[in-house]
């Protein structure tokens, strides 16, 4: 009787479990929208802050120029994409994620992995006699990937991100930083390889401009952290140092004898026109049936790439190191990523996704800095010492010196992040500037930027990201004089052998990832 009752209960519980599973479908998306909707109006009102202006300028240059540089090989090899496709892809991602996204601080655009992915597919198809239309095949690859994106969001698979720790973020960030350094070297070496013997000076000028871009960017960054100048001047150098370095380095190419060297510049096309004069609409549904099935495995690979890359960039942009107050929304944003992937295939664009290190750079540029030591605390100390009310003896000269020291300390102490300007305007603005850049006059200006300056930009972003990476910080911990290591350093609480083992595993993961991508590329 007992076993019969147990079987009856188990059989009746199955319908409830199935009903509960169906009821949970899309619950992550719904919760994301409910959590973020009350903040939507403030996302626009909070943009009335000066921090939005330098953030827009910084992330525009940090997004567009590396995206074009990443795509140079794809543009020149396949002839299926151009600068217009890269700019339109960046605008589309910025528009959708800034208007509809739950995580507007995450910057999406064209990355190195997607250009390698698209070029690999091109190389595979070109090796066949019966190769299909490339953009039609890519359209189906993107459609399959988009469908899997939507399924992932509906099934709440983004919940697995709770198992992603700083181990993954630091390792992947370390990898991306070295990719940026490598691409900077590739940009310079390609100029030497593609230059005819009579134009070697142009390649050498490109290398000079790359070093100039790198040095001036770090010079401005260093000056912003020194005690020189007024604090507003230091903040200006921190905000606009990189854009000023880029503009100045580009201008140097047209000064004096540098101008006669004729260094290589960025390629451009016609305003708002796709590569090769094709239509913007890609009729990928006209692809032969056998190729539709072949496109599915490539779509799965793209989904795996975007699931990790986009979500890790979102995690890094919303790290616990930033004093954020608004909730995230990974399920809904990954659903939107499926939409942008589908639209990219429909228009023949490189598919955009979350950018590293641009996403955390965007959040960093929106930080509002302040002093951790409150003024009233210092005033309270000075009042106690200065009045002599709490001491049986009148204040001595040493006490008065201490008052002056405390007052000076409040001014000299380093600033720390106190809040982030969480809004949608900076992302939308930098994307809109991509659309402006598609006009004829601005395309001409884009064509004036030497490729060597892009190499310097890659080196600057790569080195800057490496300096703040967790792996690098742990290595610096071992190299730093222990007497000069702060007493509250968290790594002091961990055995050195454990830290070394942790770093070794991270470096092994980095090495494996780098080796695989080099083999594919």
């Amino acid at each position: 009787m007992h076993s019969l009752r147990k079987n009856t209960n188990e059989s009746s519980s199955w319908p409830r479990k199935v009903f509960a599973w169906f009821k949970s479908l899309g619950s992550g998306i719904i919760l994301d929208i409910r959590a973020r909707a009350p903040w939507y109006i403030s996302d626009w009102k909070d943009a009335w802050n000066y921090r939005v202006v330098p953030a827009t300028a910084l992330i525009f240059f940090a997004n567009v120029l590396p995206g074009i540089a990443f795509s140079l090989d794809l543009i020149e090899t396949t002839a299926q994409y151009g600068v217009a496709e890269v700019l339109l892809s960046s605008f589309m991602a910025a528009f959708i994620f800034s208007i509809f996204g739950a995580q507007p601080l995450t910057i999406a655009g064209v990355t190195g992995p997607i250009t390698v992915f698209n070029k690999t597919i091109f190389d595979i198809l070109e090796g066949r006699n019966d190769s299909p239309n490339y953009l039609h095949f890519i359209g189906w690859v993107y459609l399959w990937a988009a469908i899997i994106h939507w399924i992932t969001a509906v099934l709440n698979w983004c919940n697995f991100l709770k198992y992603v720790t700083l181990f993954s973020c630091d390792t992947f960030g370390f990898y991306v930083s070295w990719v940026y350094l490598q691409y900077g070297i590739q940009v310079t070496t390609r100029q030497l390889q593609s230059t005819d013997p009579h134009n070697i000076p142009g390649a050498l000028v490109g290398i000079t401009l790359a070093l100039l871009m790198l040095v001036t960017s770090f010079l401005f960054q260093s000056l912003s952290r020194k005690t020189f100048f007024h604090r507003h001047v230091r903040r200006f150098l921190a905000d606009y140092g990189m854009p000023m370095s880029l503009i100045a380095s580009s201008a140097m190419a047209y000064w004096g004898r540098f101008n006669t060297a004729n260094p290589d510049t960025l390629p451009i096309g016609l305003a708002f026109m796709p590569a090769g004069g094709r239509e913007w609409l890609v009729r990928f549904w006209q692809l032969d049936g056998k190729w539709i099935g072949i496109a599915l495995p490539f779509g799965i690979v793209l989904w795996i790439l975007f699931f990790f890359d986009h979500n890790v960039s979102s995690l890094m942009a919303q790290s616990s190191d930033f004093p954020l107050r608004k909730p995230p929304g990974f399920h809904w944003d990954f659903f939107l990523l499926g939409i942008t992937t589908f639209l990219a295939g429909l228009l023949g664009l490189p598919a955009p996704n979350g950018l590293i290190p641009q996403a955390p750079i965007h959040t960093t540029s929106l930080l509002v800095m302040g002093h951790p030591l409150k003024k009233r605390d210092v005033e309270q100390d000075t009042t106690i010492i200065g009045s002599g009310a709490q001491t049986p003896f009148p204040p001595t000269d040493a006490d008065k010196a201490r008052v002056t020291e405390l007052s000076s300390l409040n001014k000299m102490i380093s600033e720390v992040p106190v809040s982030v300007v969480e809004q949608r305007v900076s992302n939308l603005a930098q994307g809109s500037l991509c659309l402006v850049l598609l006009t004829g006059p601005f395309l001409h200006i884009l064509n004036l930027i030497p490729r060597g300056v892009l190499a310097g930009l890659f080196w600057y972003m790569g080195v800057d990201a490496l300096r703040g990476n967790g792996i690098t910080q742990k290595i610096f911990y071992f190299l730093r004089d222990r007497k000069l290591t702060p007493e509250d350093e968290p790594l002091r609480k961990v055995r050195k052998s454990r830290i070394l083992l942790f770093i070794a595993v991270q470096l092994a993961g980095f090495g494996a990832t780098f080796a695989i991508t080099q083999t594919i590329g």
Side-chain angles (χ1 to χ4, degrees), residues 209-222:
L209 295 175
L211 295 174
L212 179 64
M213 172 67 193
L214 175 66
V215 172
T216 53
S217 296
F218 277 113
L219 176 62
F220 285 134
Q221 186 185 86
S222 177

Side-chain angles (χ1 to χ4, degrees), residues 148-168:
I148 304 175
H149 276 64
W150 297 329
I151 294 174
T152 300
V154 171
L155 294 180
N156 308 315
W157 285 355
C158 288
N159 285 333
F160 289 107
L161 292 175
K162 63 184 178 182
Y163 299 110
V164 177
T165 63
L166 285 177
F167 175 90
S168 303

Side-chain angles (χ1 to χ4, degrees), residues 53-67:
V53 178
T56 301
L58 177 64
I59 208 62
F60 169 68
F61 287 108
N63 178 14
V64 172
L65 295 181

Side-chain angles (χ1 to χ4, degrees), residues 181-376:
L181 296 176
Q182 180 203 22
Y183 262 84
I185 296 173
Q186 285 185 0
V187 170
T188 56
T189 54
R190 283 175 184 171
Q191 294 182 76
L192 293 170
Q193 295 170 358
S194 62
T195 301
D196 59 83
H198 300 289
N199 198 24
I200 291 296
L204 297 179
V205 168
I207 297 175
T208 303
L209 295 175
L211 295 174
L212 179 64
M213 172 67 193
L214 175 66
V215 172
T216 53
S217 296
F218 277 113
L219 176 62
F220 285 134
Q221 186 185 86
S222 177
L223 288 174
S224 69
R225 298 174 179 176
K226 301 295 184 182
T227 56
F228 303 125
F229 314 119
H230 191 273
R231 63 184 180 90
H232 293 311
V233 176
R234 296 196 302 270
R235 192 60 178 170
F236 180 84
L237 294 177
D239 290 338
Y240 301 103
M242 188 272 279
M244 287 192 303
S245 300
L246 191 145
I247 295 172
S249 301
S250 300
M252 282 294 294
Y254 304 95
W255 177 70
R257 293 187 178 181
F258 280 1
N259 190 21
T260 60
N262 193 27
D264 291 340
T265 59
L266 292 179
I268 59 170
L270 298 176
F272 294 100
M273 288 295 295
R278 64 173 178 86
E279 296 180 353
W280 276 113
L281 181 64
V282 176
R283 306 177 191 278
F284 62 86
W285 51 86
Q286 297 177 354
L287 187 69
D288 290 341
K290 69 173 184 178
W291 293 105
I292 296 176
I294 296 174
L296 176 59
F298 292 97
I300 295 174
V301 172
L302 184 60
W303 165 73
I304 295 173
L305 171 65
F306 278 10
F307 183 82
F308 188 80
D309 199 358
H310 184 81
N311 286 316
V312 167
S313 67
S314 299
L315 286 169
M316 295 177 69
Q318 301 169 109
S319 169
S320 58
D321 295 334
F322 300 119
L324 300 171
R325 60 191 179 91
K326 297 180 180 180
F330 291 92
H331 304 279
W332 173 239
D333 270 26
F334 201 70
F335 186 88
L336 291 179
L337 187 64
I339 295 178
T340 59
T341 304
F342 167 71
L343 292 177
L346 190 64
L347 299 175
L349 312 176
N353 72 296
L355 295 173
I356 302 173
Q358 286 88 339
I361 286 176
H362 182 223
T363 308
T364 302
S365 65
L366 291 167
L367 284 173
V368 176
M369 308 300 290
H371 297 291
L373 185 59
K374 298 181 181 179
K375 184 178 180 180
R376 63 173 180 269

